[in-house]
Amino acid sequence: NEATRLAFNAWLMATPDIHVIDLDEVMADPGDSTEIYPAYTFDGTHPSSEGKDVIAALMEEISQTAT
């Protein structure tokens, strides 16, 4: 459920020895942040080709700012 997902994500983000790239910000549906933006998924869980492109762009951005 959504409360469990949010609690687990908060725990992951707060755990210093775990490195996380949070995809929620770039993949969430602006109209319903509990869902993946429809164009970015083909089944509501896994990324579509367009979703993978969004993830790749985020990875590229992160790699450019990493030291």
Side-chain angles (χ1 to χ4, degrees), residues 3-35:
T4 301
R5 183 185 78 83
L6 292 173
F8 181 74
N9 284 348
W11 174 80
L12 279 175
M13 299 299 252
T15 304
D17 294 334
I18 298 176
H19 302 281
V20 176
I21 297 171
D22 188 0
L23 298 177
D24 268 354
E25 195 171 303
V26 296
M27 297 291 287
D29 184 340
D32 181 357
S33 63
T34 67
E35 299 292 332

Side-chain angles (χ1 to χ4, degrees), residues 1 4 8 21 26 29 31 43 47 49 53-54 57 59-60 63 65:
N1 77 21
T4 301
F8 181 74
I21 297 171
V26 296
D29 184 340
D43 64 0
S49 291
D53 290 343
V54 169
M59 298 299 132
E60 179 67 24
S63 72
T65 60

Side-chain angles (χ1 to χ4, degrees), residues 27-61:
M27 297 291 287
D29 184 340
D32 181 357
S33 63
T34 67
E35 299 292 332
I36 300 173
Y37 186 65
Y40 297 163
T41 183
F42 60 87
D43 64 0
T45 301
H46 301 94
S48 63
S49 291
E50 189 173 346
K52 290 176 185 177
D53 290 343
V54 169
I55 294 169
L58 177 62
M59 298 299 132
E60 179 67 24
E61 180 184 326

